[in-house]
């Protein structure tokens, strides 16, 4: 991301690096010496707005740390989502960078003015929402995460 984009988006420091992996248990064994210990989360099937349609998907997640940066490992289990796209393209590894934002809709609008499009989005509760954004010619996805409880701790 160039300096103009970062300035226009008023982004805080990077909060998370997300990796899509084919086998979560194997990835934990591989990365635990670097980012562990990991905590595992299995949220079950969830519905998200994905490329303009409501889609159900299921992921298995693990969370570790490197200093103040969270490391998220994501195993796709079922359904249509960006993680399945990544695996279907034969990829595995770094997938997205996350930034905590105060207002998801406002931040998405600012990013859209720079050529990003929201490809995966969900409002989970008041003050809690997430969106993945990408732009043509850029394989890196950015995630905006609105979490008022987290932002109050900063």
């Amino acid at each position: 991301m160039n300096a103009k984009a970062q300035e226009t988006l008023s982004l805080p420091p990077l909060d998370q690096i997300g990796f899509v992996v084919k086998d979560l248990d194997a990835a934990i064994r591989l990365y635990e010496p670097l980012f562990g210990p990991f905590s595992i989360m299995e949220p079950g099937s969830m519905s998200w707005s994905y490329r303009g349609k409501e889609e159900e998907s299921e992921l298995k997640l693990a969370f570790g740390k490197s200093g103040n940066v969270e490391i998220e490992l994501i195993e796709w289990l079922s359904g249509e989502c960006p993680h399945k796209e990544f695996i279907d393209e034969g990829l595995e590894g770094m997938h997205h960078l996350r930034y905590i934002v105060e207002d998801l809709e406002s931040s998405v609008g600012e990013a859209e003015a720079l050529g990003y499009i929201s490809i995966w989005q969900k409002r989970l509760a008041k003050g809690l929402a997430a969106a993945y954004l990408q732009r043509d010619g850029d394989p890196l996805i950015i995630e905006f995460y609105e979490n008022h409880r987290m932002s109050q701790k900063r």
Side-chain angles (χ1 to χ4, degrees):
M1 183 174 310
N2 66 34
K4 182 180 187 302
Q6 196 163 14
E7 183 180 310
T8 300
L9 295 173
S10 305
L11 293 176
L14 176 71
D15 171 66
Q16 180 195 76
I17 302 172
F19 295 82
V20 172
V21 300
K22 293 177 184 170
D23 180 332
L24 189 68
D25 295 328
I28 289 172
R29 286 191 300 276
L30 182 65
Y31 292 121
E32 200 155 49
L34 299 171
F35 310 119
F38 281 90
S39 58
I40 297 173
M41 181 179 165
E42 297 183 55
S45 185
M46 295 179 70
S47 178
W48 289 72
S49 174
Y50 173 58
R51 298 201 181 274
K53 298 185 333 191
E54 284 298 309
E55 295 282 354
E56 291 280 329
S57 61
E58 186 172 357
L59 306 170
K60 187 174 178 184
L61 312 169
F63 301 94
K65 282 289 226 187
S66 178
N68 291 328
V69 177
E70 182 175 73
I71 305 299
E72 180 183 32
L73 304 177
I74 307 159
E75 180 182 348
W76 170 78
L77 299 175
S78 67
E80 297 298 320
C81 62
H83 314 91
K84 178 184 186 304
E85 269 183 22
F86 199 69
I87 293 295
D88 285 351
E89 291 172 10
L91 301 171
E92 184 174 19
M94 192 171 99
H95 180 258
H96 68 268
L97 302 177
R98 183 176 84 181
Y99 299 90
I100 296 178
V101 297
E102 190 61 34
D103 180 286
L104 184 75
E105 287 77 14
S106 174
S107 295
V108 167
E110 289 172 1
E112 286 173 340
L114 295 172
Y116 284 91
I117 58 167
S118 177
I119 61 167
W120 200 53
Q121 188 167 334
K122 182 173 185 73
R123 176 148 304 275
L124 301 154
K126 184 177 180 182
L128 185 61
Y132 278 15
L133 298 103
Q134 69 179 174
R135 59 185 170 176
D136 285 341
D138 187 351
L140 184 64
I141 292 172
I142 59 171
E143 176 183 4
F144 289 157
Y145 185 52
E146 176 187 313
N147 184 333
H148 289 179
R149 275 195 276 161
M150 274 181 113
S151 61
Q152 290 170 355
K153 292 179 185 177
R154 293 181 175 254

